[in-house]
Amino acid sequence: MKVRRSNRLVDMTRYLLEHPRELVSLKYFGERYGSAKSSISEDLSIIRTTLADWGVGRLETLPGASGGARLTPLYAEENATRVIDELVAAVNDDSRLLPGGYVYLSDLLGRPEILREVGRLVATQYVDKDVDVVMTVETKGIPIAQSVAMYLNKPFVIVRNSSHITEGSTVSVNYVSGSSQRIKKMELSRRTLKEGANVVIVDDFLKGGGTLNGMQSLINEFGAHLIGMTVFAEGQFSGQRLVEDCTSLIKVTAEDGVNKKISAQPGNYLAKVFGDQD
Amino acid sequence: MKVRRSNRLVDMTRYLLEHPRELVSLKYFGERYGSAKSSISEDLSIIRTTLADWGVGRLETLPGASGGARLTPLYAEENATRVIDELVAAVNDDSRLLPGGYVYLSDLLGRPEILREVGRLVATQYVDKDVDVVMTVETKGIPIAQSVAMYLNKPFVIVRNSSHITEGSTVSVNYVSGSSQRIKKMELSRRTLKEGANVVIVDDFLKGGGTLNGMQSLINEFGAHLIGMTVFAEGQFSGQRLVEDCTSLIKVTAEDGVNKKISAQPGNYLAKVFGDQD
């Protein structure tokens, strides 16, 4: 069956979006549509310019027998700025204030449209790095890790804070919680992380940095490498943080005194990711 | 700027896929591309037939002033059968056997390509039901809940098995773990679930059904409604299960005796979802 260009464009766009960062051979598309390679190449160049024009993705075409097309979803600076502003507005809501100056974020981290934006933002940061796996610690970092992993098309691993039979044998580390100064334990299934793997750490909230620091120790125990750390929100913290270089999408200040007030603003993401281009 | 049909088709397909089950007005597309409504309608009908031909989604067009187009990602029976077979093959691996007859699945539930397939399968089951929210319990059900929520474009909520300051005020229930016969507690943030909401429960593994049963109690406590329950895998269980009607993508039998052996086969999903059409 020969498929017409208009139908090819729709199906190819869908296929490439649902297989992000996967090299798809021109031969595969050629056979799928009963079309000549030259037609497929023209289709791909239409897709490439359209994605670039709207600032939502990059389509690379690799020549040769082992070549093909690979779509990388990402955000151009203009889109990233708009999304960060939307996140700031969503968090800037005094009813999110919890006792002790904590901030309620569970609703946002359970909304698909927010998670898609967050995943795409964080993936954009690491798109030109050689990432093998995304790591987070249970529970609230998981949705972020999954969304980033979806866009990078790499697996994610969940560090547990207690032992579970279903994880098989594990490696565990002790760490100091930066905010409570207590010693805790976290562990990761042996099977999930390979020696030498390049790891991106993500989490929902950075306070003292103890949890992120714990994950760094785990990465060392596995003989893996840390590529970078990104959190959804960075809170205020009086004292020395246990991590130095962490990217944040937004910053939140919570006042739990007489005047209950939450104030959100953009984090250091835009400067870190797009800063050099200005 | 007037955008050509080929570029419109690429961008519209992308936009609709990234906003699944959202009604997008023809006016929005018309203004986005500087095109007449009639051209947009033609574009949409090309997208509709392409998605239907490949069995990957449904595009509805609602007429009138408040109308528009809505894309629902789903799997036709042929694709669903292929995916279930792939899942069975992936789990059919004796090295997944853990002490006590447990099955290691954490790697699969951290792989984006698997989660996309699982989410799309489960979403297909509930695509014509009025679902408000997807519910799961931490930790391993979360990736499944998130993926289903992505395709249904509805929020998901995570039931916690211990108290956390960042959840705000909560409602908790006690439940009996079906396999260990111990009393446990689970809780859900008050803010996450509204009275009368229609809830789909998902989880990674069904053994005795105690956890699913606990979530059912929580739904009752919130005055919400259960629409259905679906698990990734159903294990063997000697005795009376605590839930009656649960859909499973696959079934797993694990023998932890002298002959260590895992045997996976399709669950009741295909019969439940496509059974009436045969």
Side-chain angles (χ1 to χ4, degrees), chain A residues 6-7 9-11 13-14 17-18 20 32 50 54 56 95 98 104 106 110 112 115-116 120 138-140 142-143 146 149-150 154-156 160 165-168 189 191-192, chain B residues 6-7 9-11 13-14 17-18 20 32 50 54 56 95 98 104 106 110 112 115-116 120 138-140 142-143 146 149-150 154-156 160 165-168 189 191-192:
Chain A
S6 50
N7 300 101
L9 284 173
V10 170
D11 189 65
T13 302
R14 179 197 66 77
L17 280 170
E18 290 180 354
R32 187 173 172 94
T50 311
W54 296 98
V56 290
S95 76
L98 296 173
Y104 182 77
S106 298
L115 288 171
R116 252 183 230 113
R120 202 165 187 136
E138 60 181 342
T139 295
K140 291 198 299 160
I142 301 175
Q146 177 166 352
M150 287 276 178
K154 295 290 174 184
F156 65 99
R160 311 291 303 255
I165 176 89
T166 51
E167 296 294 349
S189 173
R191 310 188 189 201
T192 50
Chain B
S6 50
N7 299 102
L9 285 173
V10 171
D11 190 65
T13 303
R14 179 197 66 79
L17 280 171
E18 290 180 355
R32 187 174 173 93
T50 310
W54 294 99
V56 289
S95 76
L98 296 173
Y104 182 77
S106 299
L115 288 170
R116 254 184 227 114
R120 201 162 187 141
E138 58 182 344
T139 297
K140 293 197 300 160
I142 301 175
Q146 176 166 351
M150 286 277 176
K154 294 291 174 184
F156 64 99
R160 310 293 302 257
I165 176 89
T166 50
E167 296 294 348
S189 172
R191 309 188 189 202
T192 50

Coordinates of all heavy atoms in Angstrom, one line a residue, chain A residues 6-7 9-11 13-14 17-18 20 32 50 54 56 95 98 104 106 110 112 115-116 120 138-140 142-143 146 149-150 154-156 160 165-168 189 191-192, chain B residues 6-7 9-11 13-14 17-18 20 32 50 54 56 95 98 104 106 110 112 115-116 120 138-140 142-143 146 149-150 154-156 160 165-168 189 191-192:
Chain A
S6 N 0.5 13.5 2.8 CA -0.2 14.1 4.0 C -0.3 13.1 5.1 O -0.1 13.4 6.3 CB -1.5 14.7 3.5 OG -2.2 13.7 2.8
N7 N -0.7 11.8 4.7 CA -0.8 10.8 5.7 C 0.5 10.4 6.3 O 0.6 10.1 7.5 CB -1.5 9.5 5.2 CG -2.9 9.9 4.6 OD1 -3.1 10.0 3.4 ND2 -3.9 10.0 5.5
L9 N 3.1 12.3 6.7 CA 3.6 13.4 7.6 C 2.9 13.2 9.0 O 3.6 13.4 10.0 CB 3.2 14.8 7.0 CG 4.1 15.2 5.9 CD1 3.6 16.5 5.3 CD2 5.6 15.4 6.4
V10 N 1.6 12.9 9.0 CA 0.9 12.7 10.3 C 1.5 11.5 11.0 O 1.8 11.6 12.2 CB -0.6 12.5 10.0 CG1 -1.3 12.1 11.3 CG2 -1.2 13.8 9.5
D11 N 1.6 10.4 10.3 CA 2.1 9.2 11.0 C 3.5 9.3 11.4 O 3.9 8.8 12.5 CB 1.8 7.9 10.1 CG 2.1 6.7 10.9 OD1 1.3 6.4 11.8 OD2 3.1 6.0 10.6
T13 N 5.2 12.0 12.1 CA 5.3 12.9 13.3 C 4.9 12.2 14.6 O 5.6 12.3 15.6 CB 4.4 14.1 13.1 OG1 4.8 14.8 11.9 CG2 4.5 15.1 14.2
R14 N 3.8 11.5 14.5 CA 3.4 10.7 15.7 C 4.4 9.7 16.1 O 4.8 9.6 17.2 CB 2.1 10.0 15.3 CG 1.6 9.1 16.5 CD 0.5 8.1 16.1 NE 1.1 7.1 15.2 CZ 1.8 6.0 15.6 NH1 2.1 5.9 16.9 NH2 2.2 5.1 14.7
L17 N 7.5 11.3 17.6 CA 7.2 11.9 18.9 C 7.1 10.8 20.0 O 7.4 10.9 21.1 CB 5.9 12.7 18.9 CG 6.0 14.1 18.3 CD1 4.6 14.7 18.1 CD2 6.9 15.0 19.3
E18 N 6.6 9.6 19.6 CA 6.4 8.5 20.5 C 7.6 7.7 20.7 O 7.6 6.7 21.5 CB 5.1 7.7 20.1 CG 3.9 8.5 20.3 CD 2.6 7.7 19.9 OE1 2.7 6.6 19.4 OE2 1.5 8.2 20.2
P20 N 10.9 9.2 21.1 CA 11.9 10.3 21.1 C 13.3 9.9 21.2 O 13.6 8.9 21.9 CB 11.5 11.1 22.4 CG 10.8 10.1 23.2 CD 10.1 9.2 22.3
R32 N 7.3 1.1 5.7 CA 6.1 1.3 6.3 C 5.1 2.0 5.4 O 3.9 1.7 5.4 CB 6.3 2.2 7.5 CG 5.1 2.4 8.5 CD 5.6 3.2 9.7 NE 4.4 3.6 10.5 CZ 4.0 2.9 11.6 NH1 4.5 1.8 11.9 NH2 2.9 3.4 12.3
T50 N 9.4 22.4 10.6 CA 8.2 22.8 11.4 C 8.5 22.8 12.9 O 8.2 23.7 13.6 CB 7.1 21.8 11.1 OG1 6.9 21.6 9.7 CG2 5.8 22.2 11.8
W54 N 8.6 26.2 15.5 CA 7.8 26.4 16.7 C 8.6 26.3 18.0 O 8.1 26.4 19.1 CB 6.6 25.4 16.7 CG 5.6 25.7 15.6 CD1 5.6 25.1 14.4 CD2 4.6 26.7 15.5 NE1 4.6 25.6 13.6 CE2 4.0 26.6 14.3 CE3 4.1 27.7 16.4 CZ2 2.9 27.4 13.9 CZ3 3.1 28.5 16.0 CH2 2.5 28.4 14.8
V56 N 10.1 23.6 19.4 CA 9.6 22.5 20.3 C 10.4 21.2 20.1 O 10.2 20.2 20.8 CB 8.1 22.2 20.0 CG1 7.2 23.3 20.5 CG2 7.9 21.9 18.5
S95 N -2.4 29.5 49.8 CA -3.1 28.3 50.3 C -2.2 27.1 50.3 O -2.5 26.0 50.8 CB -4.4 28.0 49.6 OG -4.1 27.5 48.4
L98 N 2.1 25.1 54.3 CA 1.8 24.1 55.3 C 2.5 24.5 56.6 O 3.5 25.3 56.6 CB 2.3 22.7 54.8 CG 1.7 22.2 53.5 CD1 2.4 20.9 53.1 CD2 0.2 21.9 53.8
Y104 N 2.9 22.9 49.8 CA 2.2 21.8 49.2 C 2.3 21.8 47.7 O 1.9 22.8 47.0 CB 0.7 21.9 49.6 CG -0.2 20.8 49.1 CD1 -0.2 19.6 49.7 CD2 -1.0 21.0 48.0 CE1 -1.0 18.5 49.2 CE2 -1.8 20.0 47.5 CZ -1.8 18.8 48.1 OH -2.5 17.7 47.6
S106 N 2.0 18.6 45.9 CA 1.6 17.2 45.4 C 0.6 17.3 44.2 O 0.6 16.5 43.4 CB 1.0 16.4 46.5 OG 1.9 16.2 47.5
G110 N 1.1 15.9 40.2 CA 0.2 14.8 39.7 C -0.6 15.2 38.5 O -1.5 14.6 38.2
P112 N -0.7 15.9 34.6 CA 0.0 15.5 33.4 C 0.6 16.7 32.6 O 1.7 16.7 32.1 CB -1.0 14.8 32.5 CG -2.0 14.3 33.5 CD -2.1 15.3 34.6
L115 N 3.6 18.0 34.4 CA 4.7 17.1 34.3 C 5.3 17.1 33.0 O 6.6 16.9 32.8 CB 4.2 15.7 34.8 CG 4.0 15.6 36.2 CD1 3.3 14.3 36.6 CD2 5.3 15.7 37.0
R116 N 4.5 17.2 31.9 CA 5.0 17.2 30.6 C 6.0 18.4 30.4 O 7.0 18.3 29.8 CB 3.9 17.4 29.6 CG 3.6 16.1 28.8 CD 2.5 16.3 27.8 NE 1.6 15.2 27.9 CZ 0.3 15.4 28.3 NH1 -0.2 16.6 28.6 NH2 -0.4 14.3 28.4
R120 N 10.0 18.2 29.9 CA 10.6 18.8 28.7 C 11.7 19.8 29.0 O 12.7 19.9 28.4 CB 9.5 19.4 27.9 CG 9.8 19.6 26.4 CD 8.6 19.8 25.7 NE 8.8 19.8 24.2 CZ 8.1 19.2 23.4 NH1 7.0 18.6 23.8 NH2 8.4 19.2 22.1
E138 N 12.4 8.1 46.3 CA 10.9 8.1 46.5 C 10.6 9.2 47.5 O 11.4 9.5 48.4 CB 10.5 6.7 47.0 CG 11.1 6.2 48.3 CD 10.6 4.8 48.7 OE1 9.5 4.4 48.2 OE2 11.2 4.2 49.5
T139 N 9.4 9.7 47.5 CA 8.3 9.4 46.6 C 8.0 10.5 45.6 O 7.7 10.3 44.5 CB 7.0 9.2 47.5 OG1 7.2 8.0 48.3 CG2 5.8 8.9 46.6
K140 N 8.2 11.8 46.1 CA 7.6 12.9 45.2 C 8.5 13.2 44.1 O 8.1 13.9 43.1 CB 7.3 14.1 46.1 CG 6.1 13.7 47.0 CD 5.4 14.9 47.6 CE 6.4 15.6 48.4 NZ 6.1 17.0 48.6
I142 N 9.6 11.0 42.0 CA 9.3 10.0 41.0 C 8.6 10.6 39.7 O 9.1 10.3 38.6 CB 8.5 8.8 41.5 CG1 9.3 8.1 42.7 CG2 8.2 7.7 40.4 CD1 8.6 7.0 43.4
P143 N 7.5 11.3 39.9 CA 6.9 11.8 38.7 C 7.8 12.7 37.8 O 7.7 12.6 36.6 CB 5.7 12.6 39.2 CG 5.4 12.0 40.6 CD 6.7 11.6 41.1
Q146 N 10.3 10.3 36.0 CA 9.6 9.6 34.9 C 9.4 10.5 33.7 O 9.7 10.1 32.6 CB 8.3 9.1 35.4 CG 7.5 8.4 34.3 CD 6.4 7.6 34.8 OE1 6.2 7.4 36.0 NE2 5.5 7.1 33.9
A149 N 12.8 11.2 32.0 CA 13.2 10.0 31.4 C 12.4 9.7 30.1 O 13.0 9.3 29.1 CB 13.0 8.8 32.3
M150 N 11.1 10.1 30.1 CA 10.3 9.9 28.9 C 10.9 10.8 27.7 O 11.0 10.3 26.6 CB 8.9 10.4 29.1 CG 8.1 9.5 30.0 SD 7.3 8.2 29.0 CE 6.5 7.2 30.3
K154 N 15.4 7.5 28.3 CA 16.4 6.7 29.1 C 15.6 6.2 30.3 O 14.7 6.8 30.8 CB 17.5 7.6 29.6 CG 18.4 8.1 28.5 CD 19.2 7.0 27.8 CE 20.0 7.5 26.6 NZ 20.7 6.4 25.9
P155 N 16.1 5.0 30.9 CA 15.4 4.5 32.1 C 15.6 5.5 33.3 O 16.5 6.3 33.3 CB 16.1 3.2 32.3 CG 17.3 3.2 31.6 CD 17.2 4.2 30.5
F156 N 14.7 5.3 34.3 CA 14.9 6.0 35.6 C 14.9 5.0 36.7 O 14.3 3.9 36.6 CB 13.9 7.1 35.8 CG 12.5 6.6 36.0 CD1 11.9 6.5 37.2 CD2 11.7 6.3 34.9 CE1 10.6 6.0 37.4 CE2 10.4 5.9 35.0 CZ 9.8 5.8 36.3
R160 N 15.2 3.9 47.3 CA 14.2 3.6 48.3 C 14.7 4.1 49.6 O 15.9 4.0 49.9 CB 13.8 2.1 48.3 CG 13.5 1.5 47.0 CD 12.2 2.0 46.4 NE 11.1 1.8 47.2 CZ 10.2 0.8 47.1 NH1 10.3 -0.1 46.1 NH2 9.1 0.7 47.9
I165 N 11.5 -6.4 49.7 CA 11.9 -7.7 49.1 C 11.9 -7.6 47.6 O 12.7 -8.3 47.0 CB 10.9 -8.8 49.7 CG1 11.1 -10.1 49.0 CG2 9.4 -8.4 49.4 CD1 12.1 -10.9 49.8
T166 N 11.0 -6.8 47.0 CA 10.9 -6.8 45.6 C 12.0 -6.1 44.8 O 12.0 -6.1 43.6 CB 9.5 -6.2 45.2 OG1 9.4 -4.9 45.8 CG2 8.4 -7.1 45.5
E167 N 13.0 -5.6 45.6 CA 14.1 -4.9 44.9 C 15.3 -5.9 44.7 O 16.2 -5.5 44.1 CB 14.5 -3.7 45.7 CG 13.5 -2.5 45.8 CD 13.2 -1.9 44.4 OE1 13.9 -2.2 43.5 OE2 12.2 -1.1 44.4
G168 N 15.2 -7.0 45.3 CA 16.4 -7.9 45.2 C 17.5 -7.4 46.1 O 17.3 -6.6 47.0
S189 N 18.5 -0.9 44.3 CA 18.7 -2.2 43.8 C 19.9 -2.3 43.0 O 20.2 -1.5 42.2 CB 17.4 -2.5 43.0 OG 17.6 -3.8 42.3
R191 N 20.7 -4.3 40.6 CA 20.5 -4.5 39.2 C 20.2 -3.2 38.4 O 20.3 -3.3 37.2 CB 19.3 -5.4 39.0 CG 19.2 -6.6 39.8 CD 18.1 -7.5 39.3 NE 17.8 -8.6 40.2 CZ 17.2 -9.7 39.9 NH1 16.7 -9.9 38.7 NH2 17.1 -10.7 40.8
T192 N 19.9 -2.1 39.1 CA 19.3 -1.0 38.3 C 20.4 -0.1 37.7 O 20.2 0.7 36.8 CB 18.4 -0.1 39.1 OG1 19.1 0.2 40.4 CG2 17.1 -0.8 39.4
Chain B
S6 N 1.4 21.1 4.7 CA 2.3 20.1 5.2 C 2.9 20.5 6.5 O 3.0 19.6 7.4 CB 3.4 19.8 4.2 OG 4.0 21.1 3.8
N7 N 3.2 21.7 6.7 CA 3.7 22.2 8.0 C 2.6 22.2 9.1 O 2.8 21.8 10.2 CB 4.3 23.6 7.9 CG 5.4 23.7 7.0 OD1 5.3 24.1 5.8 ND2 6.6 23.2 7.4
L9 N 0.0 20.1 9.2 CA -0.2 18.7 9.6 C 0.8 18.2 10.6 O 0.4 17.6 11.6 CB -0.2 17.8 8.3 CG -1.4 17.9 7.4 CD1 -1.1 17.0 6.1 CD2 -2.6 17.4 8.1
V10 N 2.0 18.6 10.4 CA 3.1 18.2 11.4 C 2.8 18.9 12.7 O 2.8 18.2 13.8 CB 4.5 18.6 10.9 CG1 5.5 18.4 12.0 CG2 4.8 17.8 9.6
D11 N 2.6 20.2 12.7 CA 2.4 20.9 14.0 C 1.1 20.5 14.7 O 1.0 20.4 15.9 CB 2.5 22.4 13.8 CG 2.5 23.1 15.1 OD1 3.5 23.0 15.8 OD2 1.5 23.8 15.5
T13 N -0.5 17.6 14.4 CA -0.4 16.3 15.0 C 0.4 16.3 16.3 O 0.0 15.7 17.3 CB 0.4 15.4 14.0 OG1 -0.4 15.4 12.8 CG2 0.5 14.0 14.5
R14 N 1.5 17.1 16.3 CA 2.3 17.2 17.5 C 1.4 17.9 18.6 O 1.4 17.4 19.7 CB 3.5 18.1 17.2 CG 4.4 18.3 18.5 CD 5.3 19.5 18.3 NE 4.6 20.8 18.2 CZ 4.1 21.5 19.3 NH1 4.2 21.0 20.5 NH2 3.5 22.6 19.1
L17 N -1.2 15.5 20.0 CA -0.6 14.4 20.7 C -0.1 14.9 22.1 O -0.2 14.1 23.1 CB 0.5 13.8 20.0 CG 0.2 12.8 18.8 CD1 1.5 12.5 18.0 CD2 -0.4 11.5 19.4
E18 N 0.3 16.1 22.1 CA 0.9 16.6 23.4 C -0.2 17.2 24.3 O 0.0 17.6 25.4 CB 2.0 17.7 23.1 CG 3.2 17.0 22.6 CD 4.4 17.9 22.3 OE1 4.2 19.1 22.4 OE2 5.5 17.4 22.0
P20 N -3.4 15.4 24.8 CA -4.4 14.4 24.5 C -5.7 14.6 25.3 O -5.7 15.2 26.4 CB -3.7 13.1 25.1 CG -2.8 13.6 26.1 CD -2.3 15.0 25.6
R32 N -3.5 30.2 14.8 CA -2.1 29.7 14.9 C -1.5 29.7 13.5 O -0.3 30.0 13.4 CB -2.1 28.3 15.5 CG -0.7 27.8 15.9 CD -0.9 26.5 16.7 NE 0.4 25.8 16.9 CZ 1.2 26.0 17.9 NH1 0.8 26.8 18.9 NH2 2.3 25.3 18.1
T50 N -5.7 8.9 9.3 CA -4.3 8.4 9.5 C -4.3 7.6 10.8 O -3.8 6.5 10.9 CB -3.2 9.4 9.4 OG1 -3.4 10.2 8.3 CG2 -1.9 8.8 9.4
W54 N -3.8 3.3 11.4 CA -2.8 2.7 12.1 C -3.2 2.1 13.4 O -2.4 1.6 14.1 CB -1.5 3.6 12.2 CG -0.9 4.0 10.9 CD1 -1.1 5.1 10.2 CD2 0.0 3.2 10.1 NE1 -0.4 5.1 9.0 CE2 0.3 3.9 8.9 CE3 0.6 1.9 10.3 CZ2 1.1 3.4 7.9 CZ3 1.4 1.4 9.3 CH2 1.7 2.2 8.1
V56 N -4.0 3.7 16.3 CA -3.3 4.3 17.4 C -4.0 5.4 18.1 O -3.6 5.9 19.1 CB -1.9 4.8 17.0 CG1 -1.0 3.6 16.7 CG2 -2.0 5.7 15.8
S95 N 15.7 -15.1 35.7 CA 16.5 -14.3 36.5 C 15.7 -13.2 37.3 O 16.2 -12.5 38.2 CB 17.6 -13.6 35.7 OG 17.1 -12.5 35.0
L98 N 12.8 -13.7 42.7 CA 13.4 -13.3 44.0 C 13.1 -14.2 45.1 O 12.1 -15.0 44.9 CB 12.9 -11.9 44.3 CG 13.3 -10.7 43.4 CD1 12.5 -9.5 43.8 CD2 14.8 -10.5 43.4
Y104 N 11.0 -9.7 40.2 CA 11.7 -8.4 40.0 C 11.1 -7.7 38.8 O 11.2 -8.2 37.7 CB 13.2 -8.6 39.9 CG 13.9 -7.3 39.8 CD1 14.2 -6.5 40.9 CD2 14.4 -6.9 38.5 CE1 14.9 -5.3 40.7 CE2 15.1 -5.7 38.4 CZ 15.3 -4.9 39.5 OH 16.0 -3.8 39.3
S106 N 11.2 -3.9 38.8 CA 11.5 -2.5 38.8 C 12.2 -2.0 37.6 O 12.0 -0.8 37.2 CB 12.5 -2.3 40.0 OG 11.8 -2.6 41.2
G110 N 10.7 1.2 35.0 CA 11.5 2.4 34.9 C 11.9 2.6 33.5 O 12.8 3.5 33.2
P112 N 11.0 4.0 29.8 CA 9.9 4.8 29.2 C 9.1 4.1 28.1 O 7.9 4.2 28.0 CB 10.8 5.9 28.5 CG 12.0 6.0 29.3 CD 12.3 4.6 29.8
L115 N 6.6 1.9 29.8 CA 5.6 2.6 30.5 C 4.6 3.3 29.5 O 3.4 3.4 29.8 CB 6.2 3.7 31.4 CG 6.9 3.1 32.6 CD1 7.7 4.2 33.3 CD2 5.9 2.5 33.6
R116 N 5.1 3.7 28.3 CA 4.2 4.3 27.3 C 3.2 3.2 26.9 O 2.0 3.5 26.7 CB 5.1 4.7 26.1 CG 5.2 6.2 26.0 CD 6.0 6.6 24.7 NE 7.0 7.5 25.1 CZ 8.3 7.3 25.1 NH1 8.8 6.2 24.6 NH2 9.1 8.3 25.5
R120 N -0.8 3.4 27.7 CA -1.8 3.4 26.5 C -2.8 2.3 26.6 O -3.9 2.5 26.3 CB -0.9 3.4 25.3 CG -1.7 3.9 24.1 CD -0.7 4.1 23.0 NE -1.3 4.8 21.9 CZ -0.7 5.8 21.2 NH1 0.5 6.2 21.5 NH2 -1.3 6.3 20.2
E138 N 2.0 4.4 46.9 CA 3.5 4.4 46.7 C 4.0 2.9 46.9 O 3.5 2.2 47.7 CB 4.2 5.4 47.6 CG 3.9 5.1 49.1 CD 4.6 6.2 49.9 OE1 5.5 6.9 49.5 OE2 4.2 6.3 51.1
T139 N 5.1 2.5 46.2 CA 5.9 3.3 45.4 C 5.9 2.8 43.9 O 5.9 3.6 43.0 CB 7.4 3.2 45.9 OG1 7.5 3.8 47.2 CG2 8.4 3.9 45.0
K140 N 5.7 1.5 43.8 CA 5.9 1.0 42.4 C 4.7 1.2 41.5 O 4.9 1.0 40.3 CB 6.4 -0.5 42.5 CG 7.9 -0.5 43.1 CD 8.5 -1.8 42.8 CE 7.8 -2.9 43.4 NZ 8.1 -4.1 42.8
I142 N 3.4 4.0 41.1 CA 3.4 5.4 40.6 C 3.7 5.6 39.1 O 3.0 6.3 38.4 CB 4.4 6.3 41.5 CG1 4.0 6.3 43.0 CG2 4.4 7.7 41.0 CD1 5.0 7.0 43.9
P143 N 4.8 4.9 38.6 CA 5.0 5.1 37.2 C 3.8 4.7 36.3 O 3.6 5.3 35.3 CB 6.2 4.2 37.0 CG 6.9 4.1 38.3 CD 5.8 4.1 39.3
Q146 N 1.1 7.4 36.6 CA 1.5 8.6 35.8 C 1.3 8.4 34.3 O 0.8 9.3 33.6 CB 3.0 8.9 36.1 CG 3.5 10.1 35.3 CD 4.8 10.6 35.8 OE1 5.2 10.2 36.9 NE2 5.4 11.6 35.1
A149 N -2.4 8.4 33.5 CA -2.9 9.7 33.6 C -2.5 10.6 32.4 O -3.2 11.4 32.0 CB -2.4 10.3 34.9
M150 N -1.3 10.4 32.0 CA -0.8 11.1 30.8 C -1.7 10.9 29.6 O -2.0 11.8 28.9 CB 0.6 10.7 30.4 CG 1.7 11.1 31.3 SD 2.3 12.8 30.9 CE 3.4 13.1 32.2
K154 N -5.7 13.2 32.9 CA -6.3 13.4 34.1 C -5.3 13.4 35.2 O -4.2 12.7 35.0 CB -7.4 12.3 34.4 CG -8.6 12.4 33.5 CD -9.4 13.6 33.7 CE -10.5 13.7 32.6 NZ -11.3 14.9 32.8
P155 N -5.5 14.1 36.3 CA -4.5 14.0 37.4 C -4.4 12.6 38.0 O -5.3 11.8 37.9 CB -4.9 15.0 38.4 CG -6.3 15.3 38.1 CD -6.6 15.0 36.7
F156 N -3.2 12.3 38.7 CA -3.2 11.1 39.5 C -2.8 11.4 40.9 O -2.2 12.5 41.2 CB -2.2 10.1 38.9 CG -0.7 10.5 38.9 CD1 0.2 10.1 39.9 CD2 -0.3 11.4 37.9 CE1 1.5 10.5 39.8 CE2 1.1 11.8 37.9 CZ 1.9 11.3 38.8
R160 N -0.2 7.4 50.4 CA 1.1 7.2 51.1 C 0.9 6.1 52.2 O -0.1 6.0 52.7 CB 1.5 8.5 51.8 CG 1.5 9.7 50.9 CD 2.6 9.7 49.8 NE 3.9 9.5 50.3 CZ 4.8 10.5 50.3 NH1 4.5 11.7 49.9 NH2 6.0 10.3 50.7
I165 N 4.7 15.5 56.3 CA 4.3 16.9 56.6 C 3.9 17.6 55.3 O 3.0 18.4 55.2 CB 5.5 17.6 57.2 CG1 5.2 19.1 57.4 CG2 6.8 17.5 56.4 CD1 4.5 19.4 58.7
T166 N 4.5 17.2 54.1 CA 4.3 17.9 52.9 C 3.0 17.5 52.2 O 2.6 18.0 51.2 CB 5.4 17.6 51.9 OG1 5.6 16.2 51.8 CG2 6.7 18.3 52.3
E167 N 2.2 16.6 52.8 CA 0.9 16.3 52.3 C -0.2 17.1 52.9 O -1.4 17.0 52.4 CB 0.6 14.8 52.5 CG 1.5 13.8 51.8 CD 1.4 13.9 50.2 OE1 0.5 14.5 49.7 OE2 2.3 13.4 49.6
G168 N 0.1 17.9 53.9 CA -1.0 18.6 54.6 C -1.9 17.7 55.3 O -1.5 16.6 55.7
S189 N -3.8 12.7 51.0 CA -4.0 14.1 51.3 C -5.4 14.5 51.0 O -6.0 14.2 50.0 CB -3.0 14.9 50.4 OG -3.3 16.3 50.5
R191 N -6.6 17.3 50.1 CA -6.8 18.2 49.0 C -6.9 17.5 47.7 O -7.3 18.1 46.7 CB -5.6 19.2 48.9 CG -5.3 19.9 50.2 CD -4.2 20.9 49.9 NE -3.7 21.5 51.1 CZ -3.1 22.7 51.2 NH1 -3.0 23.4 50.1 NH2 -2.7 23.1 52.3
T192 N -6.4 16.2 47.6 CA -6.2 15.6 46.3 C -7.5 15.0 45.7 O -7.5 14.9 44.4 CB -5.2 14.5 46.3 OG1 -5.5 13.6 47.4 CG2 -3.8 15.1 46.5

